[in-house]
Amino acid sequence: MKKIQVNIKHILNTVSEESVRTLQEGAAAAGLEKLNKGTGEGNDFLGWLDLPSRTPAHHLDEIQAVADELRNSCDYVVSIGIGGSYLGAKAVIEALSNSFDAYTPALPNNPKVLFAGQNIGEDYLYELQEFLKDKRFGIIVISKSGTTTEPAIAFRLLKEQLEAQVGKEKASKLIVAITDAKRGALRQLATEEGYKTFVIDDNVGGRFSVLTPVGLLPIAVAGFDIKKLVKEKASDDNVSELYAAARNALYQAGKKIEILVNYNPKLHYFGEWWKQLYGESEGKDHKGIYPAAVDFSTDLHSMGQWIQDGERTIFETVLSVDSVKHTKVIPSDEANLDGLNYIAGKRVDEVNKMAELGTRIAHVDGGVPNIRITIPELNEEYLGQLIYFFEKACGISGYILDVNPFNQPGVEDYKRNMFALLEKPGYEEATKAIQSKLGE
């Protein structure tokens, strides 16, 4: 099996190869050692590290069996979760699905996976519930506590609707909870109602959870091979170290923004997953590279000008896919009014790759360093490999920055303010304080 490749040649006008290698052999190697030995900060959240090797086949079989039950019983399955409980599954499903799958009807034993709980959009939830009226649907609800506001609201609404449409007893067989092993509101409800459950391990944080039931169950419901996704990987620590070292060398040289670039529209949500992984892991103590993502060539006609000629605080990491699944050849046209006969007979993907190469050359010439990550093709094996590569490099990179890559203290601040504004019980003093601020 081929492996993903990391090429740093086009950052060497900004940082020296020696500086990258020194960082790789020093801080990156030390970060990898902290990961592997569990000696760094956040070492109680390293359960994801050996998932590809320690996930037993019978556990994957159990997930697949539950997925098959939902596939047999539902035309639509709503996966409810936010952050890492949503983005990983969405990224993989979008990368592997037909681009127009959402516009085709659901088929027997092949349901569509929909998502909720990732926002508090009233119109979104209203329209989702209207769509699901009189349809066969099931629910996967993902929350360690069961009290996270966004998914809890969505679950309360959809649970009520499902019970109204099919009855409480049948609904309990169409709801699967992925939650804490022993504690929390969702665990209590699942026990009382008899829902099928899977466990979110205490030592796996949400943004590292895509290769657990959190991601695997929705992906299996969508019809993809989770055994290939989780297939044990011969971890190439060198490429993880190299990527972590290269991006930190650029950060130290004043490049504060990393733009993840793809030239395949199927990777849009992979960029969204990557943004959470790196933003939530590294953005601490007033440190961290700001993660952004673009879809080329689409965004070349919107963001391309800024990237080419704007402030030189950025670098790009390009996800380059070697092989596509289908063949489309550009036809010749006798009138040639569009002037495209010069590429007649070429495959569309060849044109796309020349757009990629030409853009990379232009951006490097314009002072934008460029890391290139090459993926052989978009399938379960390589997506699993790419996910694990980025996760491992993220842990190493966080340790190079000297932050805890596995906590997220900053995300609690908005929640405290929201609860105070909503006058949640227990937040009375915070409510008074924030009302005082608003009155200033």
Side-chain angles (χ1 to χ4, degrees):
M1 180 179 177
K2 297 178 181 178
K3 294 183 180 179
I4 62 172
Q5 303 291 322
V6 176
N7 188 319
I8 66 165
K9 175 182 177 181
H10 293 295
I11 72 171
L12 301 181
N13 288 337
T14 303
V15 296
S16 69
E17 185 170 8
E18 181 182 1
S19 68
V20 176
R21 298 297 177 189
T22 299
L23 198 54
Q24 182 180 359
E25 293 169 4
L32 179 62
E33 185 176 18
K34 286 180 180 179
L35 281 182
N36 290 336
K37 293 186 176 179
T39 57
E41 277 194 285
N43 55 24
D44 49 343
F45 281 95
L46 293 177
W48 57 273
L49 195 58
D50 59 350
L51 273 175
S53 59
R54 71 175 170 86
T55 303
H58 69 81
H59 184 52
L60 296 176
D61 289 339
E62 184 182 7
I63 295 171
Q64 187 63 58
V66 173
D68 289 342
E69 289 175 12
L70 290 172
R71 286 172 62 81
N72 292 334
S73 304
C74 305
D75 293 321
Y76 298 90
V77 175
V78 184
S79 181
I80 299 175
I82 195 166
S85 299
Y86 147 72
L87 284 168
K90 179 74 170 174
V92 173
I93 290 170
E94 290 284 326
L96 297 176
S97 293
N98 183 295
S99 300
F100 299 94
D101 184 65
Y103 301 97
T104 61
L107 299 173
N109 304 317
N110 190 22
K112 308 285 187 185
V113 176
L114 308 177
F115 292 89
Q118 79 277 30
N119 60 52
I120 321 177
E122 187 164 359
D123 288 344
Y124 182 95
L125 288 167
Y126 174 86
E127 291 160 5
L128 174 62
Q129 289 197 269
E130 285 294 302
F131 176 76
L132 291 172
K133 280 183 178 179
D134 303 319
K135 290 187 172 65
R136 300 193 314 156
F137 78 93
I139 298 170
I140 301 168
V141 55
I142 306 165
S143 176
K144 185 175 281 288
S145 66
T147 59
T148 303
T149 306
E150 295 91 339
I153 291 171
F155 182 52
R156 180 178 283 204
L157 289 167
L158 290 167
K159 173 179 176 290
E160 179 184 65
Q161 179 176 0
L162 183 58
E163 290 176 348
Q165 288 184 196
V166 302
K168 195 176 180 75
E169 183 178 352
K170 186 174 181 181
S172 69
K173 294 178 172 58
L174 296 173
I175 297 174
V176 181
I178 304 176
T179 188
D180 190 86
K182 299 177 181 178
R183 305 180 301 273
L186 184 55
R187 168 53 62 185
Q188 180 181 340
L189 180 66
T191 300
E192 291 172 355
E193 301 290 342
Y195 301 156
K196 176 65 182 176
T197 64
F198 292 99
V199 170
I200 302 173
D201 289 337
D202 287 337
N203 61 355
V204 179
R207 58 189 177 275
F208 290 86
S209 67
V210 61
L211 299 181
T212 74
V214 168
L216 296 179
L217 182 59
I219 291 166
V221 169
F224 301 111
D225 191 332
I226 58 173
K227 288 187 176 180
K228 290 180 179 178
L229 190 71
V230 183
K231 185 178 180 181
E232 183 172 354
K233 297 159 185 65
S235 175
D236 188 344
D237 291 339
N238 184 64
V239 294
S240 296
E241 286 181 331
L242 178 60
Y243 174 58
R247 64 194 301 276
N248 277 279
L250 289 164
Y251 180 58
Q252 292 170 12
K255 304 302 181 182
K256 306 297 186 182
I257 301 167
E258 179 176 12
I259 302 176
L260 189 74
V261 178
N262 74 75
Y263 285 80
N264 188 318
K266 291 177 180 289
L267 287 171
H268 172 81
Y269 274 95
F270 195 91
E272 297 301 298
W273 170 81
W274 173 88
K275 280 160 55 178
Q276 186 204 2
L277 179 66
Y278 279 81
E280 201 168 60
S281 296
E282 292 190 325
K284 292 153 196 171
D285 303 332
H286 298 175
K287 302 176 186 177
I289 300 166
Y290 181 83
V294 292
D295 305 319
F296 284 169
S297 64
T298 302
D299 290 335
L300 285 172
H301 296 260
S302 57
M303 294 297 293
Q305 173 63 41
W306 192 93
I307 294 169
Q308 185 71 48
D309 286 338
E311 187 178 66
R312 302 295 76 181
T313 53
I314 60 173
F315 68 97
E316 290 180 307
T317 295
V318 176
L319 294 181
S320 182
V321 182
D322 269 349
S323 300
V324 296
K325 294 179 180 178
H326 306 294
T327 300
K328 289 301 297 182
V329 176
I330 298 167
S332 180
D333 182 84
E334 186 175 349
N336 195 31
L337 294 176
D338 54 16
L340 289 183
N341 276 355
Y342 77 101
I343 53 173
K346 294 183 183 295
R347 290 182 58 185
V348 171
D349 190 55
E350 182 181 352
V351 177
N352 193 37
K353 284 185 167 52
M354 292 305 100
E356 176 186 329
L357 179 58
T359 303
R360 286 195 288 112
I361 292 169
H363 288 180
V364 170
D365 288 347
V368 180
N370 187 290
I371 300 170
R372 188 183 186 210
I373 297 173
T374 306
I375 315 154
E377 61 182 290
L378 291 184
N379 62 24
E380 290 94 336
E381 290 98 333
Y382 290 123
L383 278 173
Q385 189 182 123
L386 188 64
I387 287 165
Y388 190 64
F389 155 76
F390 272 128
E391 287 179 342
K392 201 160 204 179
C394 183
I396 296 169
S397 189
Y399 286 141
I400 293 174
L401 276 171
D402 196 26
V403 300
N404 178 350
F406 306 111
N407 67 355
Q408 51 278 339
V411 301
E412 299 305 317
D413 292 344
Y414 92 88
K415 293 180 183 178
R416 283 191 293 270
N417 289 341
M418 179 177 68
F419 294 153
L421 288 164
L422 291 169
E423 300 183 9
K424 181 177 180 177
Y427 285 79
E428 290 80 7
E429 291 303 314
T431 298
K432 292 177 184 177
I434 203 165
Q435 286 174 343
S436 175
K437 290 180 182 179
L438 292 173
E440 290 177 353

